[in-house]
Amino acid sequence: MFVLDHPYTLDAADNVPHRRSFTAAVADAAIRGARLAGHEIDLVDLAADGFDPVMSREDLVAWRLKSVVDPVVADYQRRLLAADHVVFAFPVWWEAMPAATKGFLDRVLTKGVVFEEVAGAKGNPFRNLMPRLGGVTVLSIMTTPDAAYRWWFRDPLTKIMFKGTFGKIGVKNLRWVNYAAITEKTPEQRERMLRETEARFAALRPVGRQERQPARV
């Protein structure tokens, strides 16, 4: 499952002035590479889908009852439960993910559907209900220099996505690929980053039980 969050959608992958997005270009390169490796891609383009990130009163009532009322959220959950790996791609705004990605975490990761709370558990009280999911990869694009983001801001992105969400649920194999200080990069450097992204995903191979069939990304 590949979750893209950018207002321009995946259509902005082409290098057309005033209509281009490096986030979309990174996502497109990753998808090309994964397909070369034989992976099946399930693309969730949040902007193209018109996904509403806001948790409504009705959503929260349903969440507490371990159900959903939004058919878009139910569809995302069905696809998430079928995924072997989830890749998120988004720009970093004010040192965190955009609203649609945060809304995906809030609304799609429903208690009783993708995880459950274990009463009386010692330590982490959460249990993963996504047995197929082998890992999560985050592709973040930012203008902040990498060192400043990691050491001055203390990488809030991974604390939210990994430590505070998927790691807490119990998902293993969490990877972060950061495209930092992107506005300082030359066109040649950006092209090299896209080639490296495609090669990174083209090198991924299904493992274990997945060797007999393409993994669902």
Side-chain angles (χ1 to χ4, degrees):
M1 186 181 199
F2 202 107
V3 183
L4 170 64
D5 183 3
H6 195 281
Y8 291 173
T9 77
L10 190 63
D11 291 341
D14 294 332
N15 191 11
V16 179
H18 310 299
R19 296 190 319 187
R20 60 192 171 190
S21 159
F22 193 69
T23 299
V26 166
D28 188 60
I31 289 170
R32 286 198 311 271
R35 283 178 173 154
L36 285 173
H39 296 284
E40 179 183 346
I41 303 298
D42 179 15
L43 174 64
V44 172
D45 191 329
L46 296 173
D49 290 348
F51 175 66
D52 185 355
V54 178
M55 175 83 82
S56 69
R57 181 183 185 280
E58 292 74 19
D59 287 327
L60 185 55
V61 170
W63 191 93
R64 293 182 183 279
L65 296 174
K66 303 180 181 181
S67 64
V68 296
V69 293
D70 186 339
V72 173
V73 171
D75 178 58
Y76 286 174
Q77 289 176 340
R78 175 186 60 78
R79 294 156 69 179
L80 178 61
L81 290 168
D84 297 300
H85 197 95
V86 178
V87 181
F88 289 89
F90 51 77
V92 172
W93 295 341
W94 293 113
E95 314 313 332
M97 71 286 291
T101 298
K102 183 57 168 64
F104 185 96
L105 303 181
D106 293 342
R107 300 185 68 214
V108 177
L109 303 186
T110 301
K111 180 172 64 174
V113 178
V114 303
F115 76 97
E116 64 180 350
E117 291 185 277
V118 182
K122 295 182 179 180
N124 189 356
F126 299 105
R127 178 182 295 147
N128 181 12
L129 296 180
M130 299 175 286
R132 288 183 61 99
L133 188 60
V136 174
T137 297
V138 171
L139 308 177
S140 59
I141 293 81
M142 63 176 64
T143 59
T144 305
D146 188 73
Y149 192 76
R150 293 174 187 269
W151 304 113
W152 179 254
F153 295 110
R154 303 299 178 108
D155 58 82
L157 175 59
T158 60
K159 289 182 173 63
I160 297 170
M161 295 291 296
F162 294 161
K163 188 174 183 178
T165 304
F166 287 103
K168 182 186 290 185
I169 291 173
V171 178
K172 309 297 183 183
N173 191 20
L174 306 174
R175 299 190 187 100
W176 178 34
V177 183
N178 192 30
Y179 302 78
I182 198 62
T183 53
E184 305 300 319
K185 300 295 190 294
T186 65
E188 293 76 18
Q189 288 173 320
R190 294 189 186 197
E191 284 299 322
R192 184 170 65 251
M193 294 166 80
L194 295 178
R195 291 194 300 270
E196 290 172 350
T197 299
E198 182 174 348
R200 174 192 295 269
F201 280 81
L204 297 178
R205 292 292 185 273
V207 296
R209 64 173 177 80
Q210 298 170 3
E211 289 179 350
R212 298 185 297 274
Q213 59 185 7
R216 293 172 59 86
V217 175

